[in-house]
Amino acid sequence: MELFEAIKTRRSIGKVKEDPVPKELLLQILEAGTWAPCHHRTEPWRFTVLEGDGRDKLRDALVASLKSSMDDPETEENKLRLEKISKQPYRAPVIIVTSVEPVENDKVILDEEFAAGHAAVQNMLLAAHALGLGAVWRTGKPLYTRTMCEAFGLSEKGAVTGFIYIGYPDMTPAPAKRKSVDEVTEWYS
Ligand SMILES: Cc1cc2nc3c(=O)[nH]c(=O)nc-3n(C[C@H](O)[C@H](O)[C@H](O)COP(=O)(O)O)c2cc1C
């Protein structure tokens, strides 16, 4: 697929089939992530691939993370929220959990480590699309907790940046729109 076509036709695909995704394709997606730009060549991205029962790892992390934000996990309302979140990882046959582990170095600016990590996610979304797969970058509040970082073995400065749900598309996305370039650009010539 031509680059501009891939950039413009990539859409978040929230509904995918159960069919497994071949490892060769996942390796291509992961490699695309590793070709993102990064200042000082820190390559701060980390990936965790969850398939089959491996998705239980994300289920447990989501439940633990949500629980950590609750005063009382035993209320009926909270039990329902925990039940709901525990089902989320099974919406796709593969989830790549993306993280950033910043390099400790005086020259390195923490925000830039995360910028590189986010660029890696976009490369992976584009690669998935170019390979005929559907993907969506999911986050949500339980991603942003220490409990989540610990579940994925990250340091104090590290953080999870996304859950990329991947599978063969089982939906046709609605036509997308973006603001025109004119609306978001100032030119000084
Ligand atoms: C940082 C980030 C977090 C996102 N988190 C979610 C999410 O939790 N759930 C979801 O359905 N989509 C999520 N998305 C996808 C956006 O909703 C989606 O990109 C947006 O609606 C534009 O649609 P498109 O990707 O099809 O162009 C996220 C996107 C980004 C960049």
Side-chain angles (χ1 to χ4, degrees), residues 42-71:
T42 55
E43 302 183 46
W45 37 74
R46 298 290 178 271
F47 310 123
T48 308
V49 183
L50 306 175
E51 307 173 284
D53 291 346
R55 294 172 297 180
D56 298 355
K57 184 171 171 64
L58 180 57
R59 176 202 60 199
D60 295 346
L62 285 168
V63 167
S65 178
L66 182 57
K67 249 188 195 168
S68 72
S69 70
M70 291 173 166
D71 290 334

Side-chain angles (χ1 to χ4, degrees), residues 133-173:
L133 293 161
V136 56
W137 179 353
R138 295 188 189 275
T139 52
K141 277 192 185 159
L143 178 145
Y144 299 101
T145 65
R146 280 310 306 161
T147 307
M148 186 59 71
C149 295
E150 280 160 18
F152 287 94
L154 298 162
S155 70
E156 285 284 310
K157 289 200 173 153
V160 175
T161 52
F163 309 125
I164 311 183
Y165 283 63
I166 303 174
Y168 288 97
D170 197 15
M171 61 176 273
T172 306

Side-chain angles (χ1 to χ4, degrees), residues 114-130:
F114 283 90
H118 294 136
V121 176
Q122 172 67 347
N123 272 11
M124 293 163 87
L125 294 175
L126 288 173
H129 176 50

Side-chain angles (χ1 to χ4, degrees), residues 73-178:
E74 294 301 323
T75 66
E76 284 313 308
E77 190 195 342
N78 282 342
K79 279 202 265 188
L80 281 175
R81 287 174 67 207
L82 290 164
E83 169 80 16
K84 194 170 164 207
I85 208 166
S86 72
K87 297 192 175 129
Q88 288 184 353
Y90 307 99
R91 291 176 290 185
V94 189
I95 300 151
I96 301 178
V97 179
T98 59
S99 311
V100 165
E101 192 54 80
V103 167
E104 294 277 355
N105 175 328
D106 284 348
K107 283 196 285 191
V108 170
I109 293 167
L110 188 62
D111 279 354
E112 293 189 346
E113 296 290 81
F114 283 90
H118 294 136
V121 176
Q122 172 67 347
N123 272 11
M124 293 163 87
L125 294 175
L126 288 173
H129 176 50
L131 291 167
L133 293 161
V136 56
W137 179 353
R138 295 188 189 275
T139 52
K141 277 192 185 159
L143 178 145
Y144 299 101
T145 65
R146 280 310 306 161
T147 307
M148 186 59 71
C149 295
E150 280 160 18
F152 287 94
L154 298 162
S155 70
E156 285 284 310
K157 289 200 173 153
V160 175
T161 52
F163 309 125
I164 311 183
Y165 283 63
I166 303 174
Y168 288 97
D170 197 15
M171 61 176 273
T172 306
K177 256 192 3 189
R178 288 294 193 265

Side-chain angles (χ1 to χ4, degrees), residues 12-26:
S12 293
I13 303 296
K15 194 165 185 299
V16 291
K17 297 177 182 161
E18 299 252 321
D19 310 49
V21 178
K23 188 166 182 183
E24 306 86 79
L25 300 190
L26 294 174

